[in-house]
Amino acid sequence: MKRREFLKGLVAAASTTVLPAAHAALPVIDVYKTETCGCCIQWVEHLQANGFKVNVNNVPDTAPYREKYGIPQKLGSCHTGVVQGYALEGHVPAKDIKRLLKERPKATGLAVPGMPIGSPGMEVEGRPADKYDVILVNANGKHTVYQQYQ
């Protein structure tokens, strides 16, 4: 009888086990893009494939969103995202967004200026990837390299 009660207790304990944070749902990313931009949709698909839920907002011009969320125009690209108070400008890889959310630096967000070939959403079959940097943008507008891609 004691063995049966022990096993019942074991089953009950196992059924209430909390999943580790690595399996927790990722936050929603709001993306602001123009309606006709195809590479933006490919970036959204990259985010979704990496576990993010994405709300897509088609807007006539993305520049006001860069300004609103504190990304300098010189670091601009074709779309702006926002996740948990951080701005995401351009084709930022999902793994760098996950790192940002884990580390939670005091920063405005991340940017991949321009549209480098080989960045998520900018893959071109038959073309080698460009070297590019993911930039960490600080609240004062200064920025540093967060991650390099060769």
Side-chain angles (χ1 to χ4, degrees):
M1 190 63 120
K2 287 186 181 189
R3 182 177 174 185
R4 183 175 289 163
E5 288 179 29
F6 172 76
L7 290 174
K8 282 182 183 178
L10 195 59
V11 168
S15 67
T16 60
T17 302
V18 177
L19 293 175
H23 296 289
L26 292 171
V28 174
I29 298 176
D30 291 307
V31 175
Y32 302 91
K33 64 173 222 42
T34 59
E35 189 170 357
T36 58
C37 188
C39 66
C40 297
I41 291 297
Q42 291 174 337
W43 182 65
V44 166
E45 290 169 353
H46 164 76
L47 296 176
Q48 292 169 329
N50 282 278
F52 288 99
K53 182 179 182 323
V54 183
N55 290 332
V56 176
N57 301 280
N58 288 319
V59 297
D61 182 10
T62 59
Y65 294 90
R66 272 191 293 285
E67 184 176 344
K68 177 179 179 178
Y69 295 111
I71 299 295
Q73 291 296 334
K74 68 182 177 183
L75 298 179
S77 185
C78 56
H79 54 261
T80 302
V82 182
V83 61
Q84 292 189 342
Y86 289 108
L88 306 169
E89 181 64 27
H91 296 266
V92 179
K95 73 178 191 175
D96 295 319
I97 299 168
K98 290 176 182 179
R99 177 181 159 205
L100 176 79
L101 295 174
K102 181 179 179 183
E103 294 176 354
R104 308 259 347 139
K106 291 185 180 185
T108 299
L110 298 175
V112 174
M115 297 166 62
I117 300 299
S119 60
M122 288 297 299
E123 299 89 350
V124 177
E125 191 173 326
R127 277 206 50 201
D130 294 337
K131 295 178 184 178
Y132 69 93
D133 295 333
V134 176
I135 305 297
L136 179 69
V137 181
N138 295 311
N140 63 6
K142 293 185 179 184
H143 51 276
T144 57
V145 174
Y146 191 69
Q147 182 67 47
Q148 292 184 314
Y149 289 88
Q150 303 295 325

